[in-house]
Amino acid sequence: MVTIDTSVCLVCGGCIDLCPKTAIQMVDDRVYVIQEKCIQCKICVQVCPVGAPRHIEDAA
Amino acid sequence: MKERYDVTVIGAGPAGLLAAKALAQNGFDVAVLERKQDPAAITRACGQSLLPPNEYFFGDIFHYNERDKRFCFSVSGLSFPYTGPVKSLYNWHMFSPGMKKMQFGCGEEKKTAPIALSYDKDVLIKDLLRDIACDHVDVCAGTEYTDMQFGPGTIVVKAGEKAFQSSFVIAADGTNSRVVQKLGYNSNRRHIANLYVQSCFIKGFKPPHDNAIITAVTFVDEKPVYLFLLPRAEGDEWNFIILTLEAGVDLTAAYDRITKDARFAAWFKAAKKTKEFAAIEYIYSPIQRPFRNNVLIVGDAGACQELECLGAMLTGWKGGLAIAAALKEQELGIMPRAIAQYEDWWLNTYIKQYDYQDYLSIFGIAYMFSKPEVIDYVFGLMGDESFPATFNPYRAVGLLGGRLQSLMPRIMQERPDILQVLAGTMSLFPSDIMGQTLKK
Ligand SMILES: Cc1cc2nc3c(=O)[nH]c(=O)nc-3n(C[C@H](O)[C@H](O)[C@H](O)COP(=O)(O)OP(=O)(O)OC[C@H]3O[C@@H](n4cnc5c(N)ncnc54)[C@H](O)[C@@H]3O)c2cc1C
Ligand code: SF4
Ligand code: SF4
């Protein structure tokens, strides 16, 4: 699962724009991953300049 | 919110707000969609300096009308209120990894026009919002564009549960624009590099030069990193930007390392962060023809003229006027031409006269000269004499290139090894050099 650590995120919006599945959105000035749309490509993890998106291995 | 608008503008940055202003002043109904709750709360890294008020830029003369507190573009007839602080900057000091320095501007302040004006972007956006509110623009904050559908004569812009219908759309959603992706422009653009940015406002910074712009090239884990330091418009805060084209540089760690590094430690000894920002940009070659499916692309969304908010403002304003004229053409049943004229200006003035390759050269220095030692040598040689005052990257690149060319005979004598390095890279485009180096 990929989630965004909102205590680290600076809300620059970059990952929202670059997610290939439009699976990230801004709601009330917070940035969230819409889990149903996310394909875990981890592009958001690579592009974020502050390391806010985190990939957590799903329990098998 | 209305059932239907003449135009939906996506993004309430400088480009979107000026497009809305142009349309509303012509009597059209405009909705502006902005995903942040407060469009004036800047969260994306920006140097917040407007340049260059001492020369033509993007075919216009930008200046600050201090008497009436307005920002003005004399050629386009655009002016709007800006009530915030302004600080004039006169010199630009550029440091190499070994602290060799090149300087733009003679150091004698106020004898020449400033090379840039430091301003407060929150106030700029707030003032623009106030200005367009008088013209009945509906600004829908907290509303994120998610998709777009095209019907006959109508575009439906989706923002979550909401939908906005209009005849035209202006995409001003900034760099990495989702509208641009949706319209398929990027498949014909060249992807050159990615720019990763962390920045902060700092207090207690002890600058090597006052009221000047300070930039430096350095290396973190052998990867080039660029530092920009700009005084904020008011008080003693500075805007500190750390920027790299390399994936995988930990910019948070880089801040700690750079501020403790012996070369810079004296500047940062008492420095404290007061606010933090970030930015990521996929750098593409510019869009050539920014109108498709009744959607006009303006500002950073269409060209990575990054570091140049003036371009965003001008394209927003001119683009808004073009759509206003197009709506009038439809109403009057006359032959359309306004948008084609605008596209010609975009291509021939905005894009062709301000070549993105030149803008990239500034970030290409470390790649062209490839090694810290070479950068030091070149900066040392070229920095003997100050350059004319400018912070215009396009002009600066021309000045640097010219001087380097004239120093070639000396380099050939002193350092034939370095000449060989330069010969290999100077004939290439910066985008090619970056492309080659970054893809390794
Ligand atoms: C590191 C850095 C330093 C810079 N320094 C300077 C400088 O010193 N001087 C200068 O003049 N310029 C500078 N710039 C450039 C400047 O920030 C931009 O050129 C300018 O902000 C572009 O304006 P814009 O309106 O096109 O886009 P933006 O300012 O990016 O505005 C886009 C707006 O659209 C909104 N948005 C995005 N997507 C959506 C969506 N899906 N739905 C709804 N809203 C959306 C965003 O929240 C934003 O408010 C710098 C840029 C960077 C990255
Ligand atoms: S790129 Fe990083 S800082 Fe920017 S919005 Fe996404 S998670 Fe937040
Ligand atoms: S992992 Fe990929 S699909 Fe999932 S949110 Fe990040 S960028 Fe989007």
Side-chain angles (χ1 to χ4, degrees):
Chain A
M1 186 168 81
V2 172
T3 56
I4 289 165
D5 183 342
T6 47
S7 69
V8 176
C9 170
L10 295 171
V11 199
C12 75
C15 61
I16 309 178
D17 303 329
L18 297 169
C19 166
K21 290 286 158 188
T22 59
I24 311 182
Q25 67 181 156
M26 193 183 289
V27 181
D28 294 337
D29 287 344
R30 287 188 165 227
V31 180
Y32 290 96
V33 175
I34 308 163
Q35 294 302 335
E36 303 77 66
K37 286 177 128 189
C38 172
I39 54 161
Q40 310 208 14
C41 67
K42 293 187 253 181
I43 286 178
C44 53
V45 179
Q46 290 154 24
V47 300
C48 174
V50 297
R54 306 268 157 83
H55 179 245
I56 309 154
E57 290 298 335
D58 293 331
Chain B
M1 193 177 141
K2 291 198 174 82
E3 200 132 296
R4 191 187 163 98
Y5 290 89
D6 294 308
V7 182
T8 308
V9 176
I10 303 173
L17 293 177
L18 283 166
K21 177 178 162 75
L23 283 153
Q25 284 183 357
N26 277 279
F28 293 106
D29 288 332
V30 184
V32 179
L33 277 49
E34 168 55 52
R35 65 184 170 197
K36 291 184 291 183
Q37 294 287 348
D38 176 4
I42 302 302
T43 54
R44 192 171 170 271
C46 180
Q48 308 203 6
S49 64
L50 292 171
L51 50 137
N54 62 349
E55 56 189 286
Y56 265 99
F57 201 36
F58 299 133
D60 216 313
I61 299 177
F62 162 76
H63 63 104
Y64 174 50
N65 162 357
E66 201 171 345
R67 187 192 64 194
D68 307 312
K69 295 199 175 305
R70 295 178 79 87
F71 282 146
C72 306
F73 295 80
S74 304
V75 177
S76 307
L78 164 64
S79 97
F80 52 87
Y82 168 72
T83 59
V86 172
K87 190 179 278 173
S88 297
L89 309 177
Y90 294 90
N91 298 296
W92 172 16
H93 304 270
M94 212 183 199
F95 289 92
S96 74
M99 302 307 269
K100 297 275 187 238
K101 195 181 84 172
M102 294 194 288
Q103 180 173 335
F104 292 85
C106 61
E108 288 185 58
E109 280 196 7
K110 297 178 179 89
K111 287 206 172 152
T112 50
I115 57 170
L117 302 177
S118 180
Y119 73 106
D120 187 322
K121 202 172 184 179
D122 290 36
V123 180
L124 174 87
I125 302 289
K126 222 174 278 167
D127 282 341
L128 281 172
L129 287 167
R130 203 175 301 133
D131 194 40
I132 62 171
C134 307
D135 298 320
H136 316 287
V137 172
D138 280 349
V139 176
C140 307
T143 305
E144 187 171 49
Y145 153 80
T146 43
D147 203 5
M148 198 177 275
Q149 282 160 1
F150 303 94
T154 300
I155 305 173
V156 182
V157 172
K158 295 266 179 71
E161 304 290 291
K162 293 183 217 159
F164 297 80
Q165 293 193 30
S166 56
S167 313
F168 289 94
V169 169
I170 293 188
D173 52 339
T175 195
N176 315 317
S177 161
R178 263 161 82 163
V179 180
V180 164
Q181 294 175 48
K182 164 85 183 172
L183 291 172
Y185 278 107
N186 288 351
S187 54
N188 292 323
R189 300 169 80 190
R190 182 151 166 233
H191 175 237
I192 296 151
N194 298 341
L195 188 66
Y196 304 85
V197 186
Q198 251 194 50
S199 76
C200 54
F201 292 161
I202 47 175
K203 263 196 184 318
F205 174 67
K206 204 166 168 286
H209 307 278
D210 284 325
N211 284 5
I213 298 157
I214 294 153
T215 63
V217 193
T218 184
F219 286 75
V220 171
D221 295 332
E222 294 178 10
K223 290 180 171 164
V225 170
Y226 299 85
L227 316 181
F228 281 75
L229 282 141
L230 303 111
R232 294 212 62 211
E234 202 169 35
D236 55 2
E237 275 191 347
W238 282 64
N239 190 343
F240 178 27
I241 301 171
I242 306 181
L243 176 160
T244 183
L245 298 167
E246 304 276 348
V249 174
D250 181 340
L251 290 172
T252 311
Y255 175 89
D256 291 330
R257 284 169 63 175
I258 288 161
T259 53
K260 293 195 179 80
D261 186 297
R263 289 168 295 168
F264 310 113
W267 304 355
F268 291 102
K269 217 165 94 193
K272 287 215 166 34
K273 286 187 193 178
T274 56
K275 201 164 183 250
E276 294 183 290
F277 308 84
I280 159 82
E281 177 191 5
Y282 278 15
I283 304 176
Y284 282 97
S285 58
I287 289 176
Q288 305 281 309
R289 295 243 147 231
F291 186 70
R292 188 178 279 184
N293 296 15
N294 280 1
V295 180
L296 185 71
I297 316 290
V298 295
D300 280 11
C304 73
Q305 302 284 20
E306 277 286 11
L307 312 169
E308 314 307 335
C309 206
L310 295 179
M313 294 187 203
L314 270 178
T315 57
W317 172 251
K318 284 179 183 287
L321 290 178
I323 299 292
L327 284 158
K328 275 288 162 207
E329 287 164 351
Q330 281 186 353
E331 200 180 298
L332 301 169
I334 52 178
M335 275 285 282
R337 67 177 198 210
I339 292 172
Q341 276 173 2
Y342 171 77
E343 282 197 304
D344 287 346
W345 173 83
W346 168 281
L347 183 66
N348 294 318
T349 303
Y350 191 55
I351 300 299
K352 287 203 178 148
Q353 288 182 29
Y354 297 88
D355 190 342
Y356 75 106
Q357 295 284 0
D358 288 343
Y359 144 83
L360 283 177
S361 301
I362 294 288
F363 300 113
I365 285 180
Y367 297 93
M368 274 188 257
F369 303 154
S370 64
K371 281 196 287 250
E373 185 228 347
V374 179
I375 306 174
D376 287 339
Y377 172 77
V378 175
F379 271 50
L381 208 57
M382 298 219 289
D384 268 354
E385 202 186 312
S386 66
F387 288 92
T390 190
F391 189 49
N392 169 350
Y394 304 94
R395 177 139 182 260
V397 163
L399 292 167
L400 291 170
R403 186 166 298 176
L404 189 58
Q405 213 74 50
S406 72
L407 287 166
M408 283 301 182
R410 190 166 151 196
I411 302 174
M412 185 150 66
Q413 265 191 343
E414 279 179 24
R415 296 293 304 264
D417 55 323
I418 287 183
L419 188 75
Q420 224 170 9
V421 176
L422 296 181
T425 53
M426 279 188 55
S427 57
L428 294 172
F429 284 119
S431 55
D432 292 325
I433 301 167
M434 283 183 198
Q436 282 170 15
T437 321
L438 291 165
K439 267 160 204 136
K440 265 184 209 158

